[in-house]
Amino acid sequence: MSQRYQILIVDDEASITTLLKEELEEHQSYEVDLAFDGAEGINLIQKKLYDVVLLDMKMPRVDGREVLQFIQGHSPSSQVIILSQFADLKMAVESTKLGAYEVLGKPYDIEQIEQTIQRALERKKLAIDNK
């Protein structure tokens, strides 16, 4: 059996998040967990190592920036892909400086997300191999 990659989606839009989980799990190489706010995302990250985190930036209580900073401090091998309806150049540059792998706008294209996840997984593997 091939490896199953652990993916976490942190986004407060429940319907979109659930649909994305279903689309990704069709490939059977991904095991996807969901968090519907930043605090829930941080709780899951404390319990499990994720290969890729798909992260919304604008959420109530704990926003994506706080979650991204937490990931960099506690799970730096996790690759973070920002999914944001409010993606602009300033936010993209700031997210990348904080350690995000890529910033994608919403509404998303599932093929673009899948390709970005594959590149992020390759980047993670290269980083581990180089150590």
Side-chain angles (χ1 to χ4, degrees):
M1 186 173 154
S2 63
Q3 178 177 0
R4 287 180 57 95
Y5 296 102
Q6 302 300 312
I7 296 180
L8 174 62
I9 305 172
V10 184
D11 194 325
D12 60 330
E13 296 180 63
S15 58
I16 293 172
T17 304
T18 304
L19 179 64
L20 180 54
K21 173 186 167 108
E22 291 170 4
E23 290 174 326
L24 290 174
E25 286 185 335
E26 284 179 9
H27 293 275
Q28 299 180 359
S29 58
Y30 303 134
E31 187 174 309
V32 182
D33 291 335
L34 301 178
F36 297 105
D37 65 45
E40 188 180 354
I42 287 172
N43 288 339
L44 289 172
I45 293 162
Q46 289 174 326
K47 297 174 188 168
K48 186 174 181 180
L49 180 62
Y50 290 95
D51 296 299
V52 175
V53 178
L54 300 173
L55 178 63
D56 186 20
M57 291 305 274
K58 300 246 187 230
M59 294 181 288
R61 296 190 325 155
V62 178
D63 69 10
R65 180 188 172 121
E66 291 176 73
V67 176
L68 178 56
Q69 289 173 320
F70 181 84
I71 291 169
Q72 294 309 310
H74 293 83
S75 184
S77 69
S78 296
Q79 301 297 303
V80 179
I81 299 168
I82 304 297
L83 297 176
S84 182
Q85 190 169 350
F86 306 99
D88 61 15
L89 183 60
K90 181 180 177 204
M91 192 267 285
V93 169
E94 181 181 335
S95 299
T96 305
K97 283 181 180 177
L98 290 172
Y101 172 69
E102 179 114 26
V103 178
L104 300 176
K106 290 181 184 175
Y108 64 83
D109 174 333
I110 188 61
E111 288 182 24
Q112 182 185 29
I113 288 178
E114 290 171 355
Q115 292 169 357
T116 304
I117 289 172
Q118 286 302 312
R119 287 194 314 272
L121 290 169
E122 289 169 16
R123 179 181 184 227
K124 178 180 178 173
K125 184 182 181 309
L126 282 172
I128 290 170
D129 289 349
N130 286 337
K131 285 185 179 181

